[in-house]
Amino acid sequence: MTETSRIVICMGSSCFARGNKEHLPVIEQFLAEHGITAEVQLCGSRCEDECALGPNIAIDGVWHFGVDRGVLIDLLNHHFLDTAEM
Ligand code: FES
């Protein structure tokens, strides 16, 4: 995890309907459960012009496309837990 990490979740209509509606509370719950809500800036995006690839989520500037729940949990675990324990 970088000093101030940032998650951007696309909440445009396409990404919202494809899964980010459900992904937002998953992210919020993950941050709360691990006590890192204050260290991670969680932002919404209106659209990233990659609607066909959605749902899209960026972590520290790297966009991940076609994110499903399992991939999201893997990304969160890898980015915020694995690296924090190194
Ligand atoms: S709605 Fe997410 S990229 Fe367009």
Side-chain angles (χ1 to χ4, degrees):
M1 180 165 52
T2 59
E3 204 165 280
T4 305
S5 286
R6 187 169 194 245
I7 298 173
V8 180
I9 180 167
C10 184
M11 297 302 272
S13 58
S14 178
C15 287
F16 185 84
R18 287 170 179 247
N20 277 354
K21 176 184 177 185
E22 290 80 22
H23 294 156
L24 178 59
V26 170
I27 296 169
E28 291 173 328
Q29 183 178 355
F30 178 90
L31 297 178
E33 280 179 359
H34 296 284
I36 54 173
T37 301
E39 289 91 45
V40 180
Q41 186 181 21
L42 178 57
C43 308
S45 167
R46 291 184 179 175
C47 182
E48 297 297 323
D49 294 327
E50 296 288 355
C51 309
L53 301 177
N56 305 322
I57 295 173
I59 300 178
D60 288 339
V62 177
W63 279 95
H64 302 275
F65 304 103
V67 176
D68 63 21
R69 184 185 171 92
V71 168
L72 174 60
I73 290 170
D74 285 348
L75 285 170
L76 293 171
N77 282 332
H78 175 73
H79 198 83
F80 296 106
L81 299 185
D82 294 351
T83 55
E85 293 168 3
M86 293 176 74

